[in-house]
Amino acid sequence: MKAFYIEPADTWFFRDGTPYSIETGSQLDVGGSFPPSPPSVAGALRATLATARGWDGSKRWPTEFNDTLGNGPHDLGRLRLQGPFVVQKNELLLPVPRHLWHRIEGEPELGFSRVGSGVACDLDCGPGAFLPIAVDGAKPLTRKWVRHAAFEKILEGIAPHRDDLIPEDKLWSEEPRTGIQRNPTTRTASEGGLYSSRHFRLQEGTALLMATTGLPPEWPLPSGAHPFGGESRLAYWQQWSGDLALKMPVNRICEDGRFILIALTPLDLSLQACLGRTPLTDLGGALVKSACMDRPIRIGGWDSLSRQPRAMRSYVPPGTVFFCECRDKAALRSAIDQVGDRIPAVGGGTEAGFGCVALGTWIESKEPG
């Protein structure tokens, strides 16, 4: 597997799902999203690889590239991507799990939500819905990231220290920008062309990471500055030699048949899978029993071949925690063993970077407090 370190030359701009067209108001704010979605980074990586191979970027890349790089947004050829991930000073950072809570008063300050007993529910969940429970006065942590070593402790059921949690404002900040559309023919401002957008400026030492398999050994690896994200902002690319692996308590997971699944990148899962009605085939047929999650995120994108936006869809956000149970422990062990030392992936779109997950210990339910 090859991993690439992507460092900004200035600010970056990645669109979110906010509607934006020429018919809308002139001062409409173009929303931004960071970290960028997997398809955004996957497209940039493929274009950068093609450029390193000699593509001039003006038309379609040569057809002989299609076997490796694919042809279009739904065909990635031999590439199998994972990410994007956030790194700071060469240390991998992971999204804070949604089942980790904090409280200002009382002890302990940090802890985990546990699965409670079944309750009646109008979602047709069978005999009952199993809701997560926490101690009194606890709130889920948001907009924070966890250091690599501390995240591995979380997978073992050990709560981190506050020093292991990094707020987003220590990693990047939003910068509002105002621009005006210019007529390329007359080189004058267009009527009603004033717009505003939100860029992201990464703090020193903060960068993105994208990993892939499937590259032929003779292909040159990208390096130097290349376009990245909206408005053709620039990024410096180089190969990364750090540790992308996660140590997971695999033996305990397979012995218990119960585990937590933490989303590291957006998950493309059906509603039925999230409700535990259909199995997770990538994990031996495990079923979701409970969940700690925020509202879905909307991801679209841009199809550079057909020159039109891709349809917006809802995805399970990073940081989501599913409590899962697998009755076939042998099938679970086989599914995990097939992954090897790579990060597991579930759901759809895993070849483009969706569905990266970490598996950890399911902490047994007990009375909170």
Side-chain angles (χ1 to χ4, degrees):
M1 176 174 286
K2 304 290 186 182
F4 300 101
Y5 186 85
I6 312 168
E7 188 176 16
D10 189 12
T11 61
W12 280 338
F13 173 58
F14 298 95
R15 282 281 309 276
D16 63 8
T18 304
Y20 187 74
S21 67
I22 196 170
E23 292 86 9
T24 55
S26 60
Q27 279 285 1
L28 182 64
D29 181 40
V30 185
S33 175
F34 197 86
S37 67
S40 296
V41 186
L45 174 59
R46 294 162 70 201
T48 304
L49 288 168
T51 301
R53 186 72 171 168
W55 178 51
D56 62 6
S58 60
K59 298 179 181 179
R60 291 193 179 208
W61 54 58
T63 55
E64 58 264 29
F65 291 4
N66 290 348
D67 186 49
T68 297
L69 301 180
N71 185 24
H74 304 292
D75 176 14
L76 272 63
R78 295 180 180 177
L79 299 184
R80 294 297 178 265
L81 283 67
Q82 290 195 315
F85 302 107
V86 176
V87 291
Q88 186 183 55
K89 297 180 180 178
N90 218 37
E91 180 183 16
L92 180 66
L93 304 180
L94 288 311
V96 63
R98 190 70 179 175
H99 74 322
L100 179 64
W101 50 253
H102 75 111
R103 60 178 178 176
I104 299 176
E105 298 179 357
E107 293 289 342
E109 295 182 347
L110 298 172
F112 300 109
S113 297
R114 294 170 167 82
V115 179
S117 56
V119 298
C121 177
D122 61 356
L123 290 178
D124 189 22
C125 295
F130 297 89
L131 303 180
I133 56 176
V135 299
D136 293 338
K139 296 181 179 179
L141 286 162
T142 59
R143 303 180 68 85
K144 286 183 170 53
W145 294 74
V146 186
R147 300 183 188 277
H148 187 189
F151 193 88
E152 291 181 338
K153 293 295 184 181
I154 289 176
L155 299 181
E156 297 176 1
I158 302 173
H161 299 289
R162 287 192 177 271
D163 293 342
D164 295 319
L165 305 177
I166 304 176
E168 282 189 0
D169 58 11
K170 299 296 184 182
L171 301 173
W172 62 79
S173 58
E174 290 191 18
E175 286 190 6
R177 297 291 183 93
T178 301
I180 191 166
Q181 184 181 16
R182 190 181 69 167
N183 188 312
T185 303
T186 63
R187 298 186 178 182
T188 59
S190 300
E191 183 71 23
L194 194 66
Y195 67 92
S196 60
S197 60
R198 282 178 286 162
H199 288 224
F200 293 89
R201 182 175 296 278
L202 275 61
Q203 302 293 338
E204 184 177 359
T206 304
L208 291 177
L209 191 70
M210 198 72 173
T212 185
T213 59
L215 275 177
E218 69 274 11
W219 274 51
L221 301 179
S223 62
H226 297 273
F228 189 66
E231 300 183 358
S232 294
R233 314 298 291 185
L234 291 178
Y236 294 106
W237 294 71
Q238 60 179 310
Q239 191 173 357
W240 190 69
S241 58
D243 185 10
L244 189 58
L246 281 172
K247 296 178 182 178
M248 297 177 289
V250 174
N251 290 334
R252 180 172 177 180
I253 289 172
C254 295
E255 290 172 1
D256 294 346
R258 311 173 80 192
F259 58 93
I260 61 169
L261 180 153
I262 304 175
L264 307 180
T265 61
L267 305 187
D268 184 6
L269 290 178
S270 68
L271 175 62
Q272 301 301 315
C274 294
L275 293 177
R277 299 174 185 171
T278 57
L280 302 175
T281 56
D282 301 297
L283 292 174
L287 291 172
V288 174
K289 304 298 292 184
S290 184
C292 297
M293 63 184 297
D294 204 345
R295 67 185 64 185
I297 58 174
R298 300 282 287 171
I299 297 176
W302 178 257
D303 187 338
S304 60
L305 295 184
S306 60
R307 308 296 299 174
Q308 63 181 6
R310 297 176 62 183
M312 298 288 295
R313 294 185 54 205
S314 295
Y315 293 84
V316 177
T320 293
V321 176
F322 288 128
F323 295 83
C324 304
E325 187 172 45
C326 184
R327 294 183 178 180
D328 190 343
K329 298 179 183 180
L332 177 61
R333 167 69 75 171
S334 176
I336 295 176
D337 287 346
Q338 289 180 12
V339 175
D341 58 355
R342 294 179 291 114
I343 293 177
V346 300
T350 55
E351 70 281 355
F354 285 108
C356 294
V357 300
L359 308 180
T361 302
W362 175 325
I363 302 175
E364 294 295 336
S365 177
K366 65 180 182 179
E367 291 300 319

